[in-house]
Structures are given as structure tokens and as C-alpha cells.
Amino acid sequence: MPEVASVLFGREDVRRRVRELGRQITEDYAGREPVLVTVLRGGAVFLADLIREIDLPLETHLMAISRYGDAEESLGRVQIRLDVEGDLRGRDVVFVEDIVDTGLTSRYLLSILAGRAPASLELCTLLDRSARRIVPVEPRYIGFDCPDVFVVGYGLDHDERYRNLPDILSVDDLPGLREDPDALIPHLAASPA
Ligand code: IMP
Ligand code: MG
């Protein structure tokens, strides 16, 4: 029987790429003190690793949102449940996302952050699935280009589970995973099988 999912970006590739992004951000923001903002819950895993690869003083803030239906139905509009604390005016803000898919969520949240008059505002996403873009969003920093397939792991969930998978998996049989939501438990092993 074919597997429900397979490794798309393994943990070592992720670690290497996160390190590269951190180095790039360190260079680009040299002499400044950026503010990194992400959205719970998916972005938290990436942010936690990314900030430890940035050799600059920085701040981190978390946002939490709830959606009215899915991104497409809601046109990206979300209700903000937890917001950045403090003033972003004049700050160099890096908005960190787990994945930019249709672009609707990122565009909406970027427009909110832009309204707070930061000195600069850039988007850093671990995964960029540009094939599904509905609105133009161009991340300044991209971890990986993501094929048009549902992915889980490293912060990305299926029904709130599997965010703790160390690898990023592509779910090749999504109906199969819906039918057997436990199918990916073997992939939770701390070291590759
Ligand atoms: P958007 O379509 O660009 O607005 O993406 C909205 C959100 O959907 C992302 O921030 C993710 O949290 C979630 N999402 C999109 N694609 C996937 C996926 O393949 N796996 C898990 N979550 C996803
Ligand atoms: Mg998300």
C-alpha cells in the first residue's frame, strides 16, 4: 500500500536553510534591531529556530488570529486574538510565516502591520507555494519553494496535529489521512527510521 505521506524537506535540509536565512537576515539588518512577528500557531516553530540563527539584538512578538471560514472564503480577513505589544512605529519589522499559500492571510496581516508606520516591513516565509497564489505577495525571504501539495510538520498541522514532526512531509493521499488520522504517527520518531 502506498504511503499516505513522504518526506519533502528533511530536518537537516530545514536546519541548513533556516541557518542560511538567519545569516542573510543578520547581514541585511546589521546595525539595526529588527522586530520579528509571527502568527500562532504554525509560525512558532520556525520563528523559534530562526531567531537563534540571527546574531543581532531583536524583539519577537506573537499574533494569534481566528478565521471566518477558510482563507479563500474570508478573503484573508481574520479576527486578531493576540496582537503585537508595543509600538512598531519606526521599527524594522520582519513578518514570519510558516507558508504563504493563496497569500490572502499574509496580505491582510501585512496591511495591518504596515498601518502602524514601521520603518520597513518584509515577509519571511519558510515555504512559498506560489502556484496557489490568489493575491500578489512577494516574500523577501523564502525557505523553500513548495509544490502544490498539502504539507505537515515543523509547525504545519493537519487538524491541529503533527506540528511536532521534525521533517516536513507532503501528504500525497489526503483522503487517506482523513480516513486514518493516526497514519503519520510513525513519522514522529525523533530520528529518521
Ligand atoms: P494563505 O492561503 O496564504 O492565506 O495561507 C493561510 C494559512 O493556511 C497558512 O498560514 C497556513 O497556516 C495554512 N496552510 C496553508 N497551506 C497549508 C498546508 O499545506 N499545510 C498546513 N497548513 C497550511
Ligand atoms: Mg499559519
Side-chain angles (χ1 to χ4, degrees), residues 39-40 42-43 67 97-98:
V39 187
L40 295 174
R67 296 175 196 284
E97 270 278 27
D98 48 5

Side-chain angles (χ1 to χ4, degrees), residues 39-43 65 67 97-99 105 156 163:
V39 187
L40 295 174
R41 289 170 291 271
I65 58 177
R67 296 175 196 284
E97 270 278 27
D98 48 5
I99 183 167
T105 312
L156 292 145
R163 296 189 195 276

Side-chain angles (χ1 to χ4, degrees), residues 105-146:
T105 312
S106 304
R107 192 185 59 156
Y108 182 75
L109 292 173
L110 283 168
S111 74
I112 286 179
L113 295 173
R116 297 176 182 175
S120 66
L121 177 60
E122 299 289 356
L123 174 60
C124 173
T125 188
L126 179 66
L127 301 177
D128 184 14
R129 196 191 281 126
S130 54
R132 281 184 35 93
R133 205 73 100 243
I134 290 176
V135 291
V137 171
E138 283 182 29
R140 170 87 175 73
Y141 304 98
I142 296 169
F144 300 97
D145 290 317
C146 184

Side-chain angles (χ1 to χ4, degrees), residues 8-9 21 33 55 57 70 74 89 103 109 121 161 165 169 193:
L8 180 63
F9 303 113
L21 289 172
E33 188 160 338
D55 304 332
D70 70 19
S74 63
R89 182 173 300 274
L109 292 173
L121 177 60
R161 301 170 91 208
L165 286 166
L169 307 184

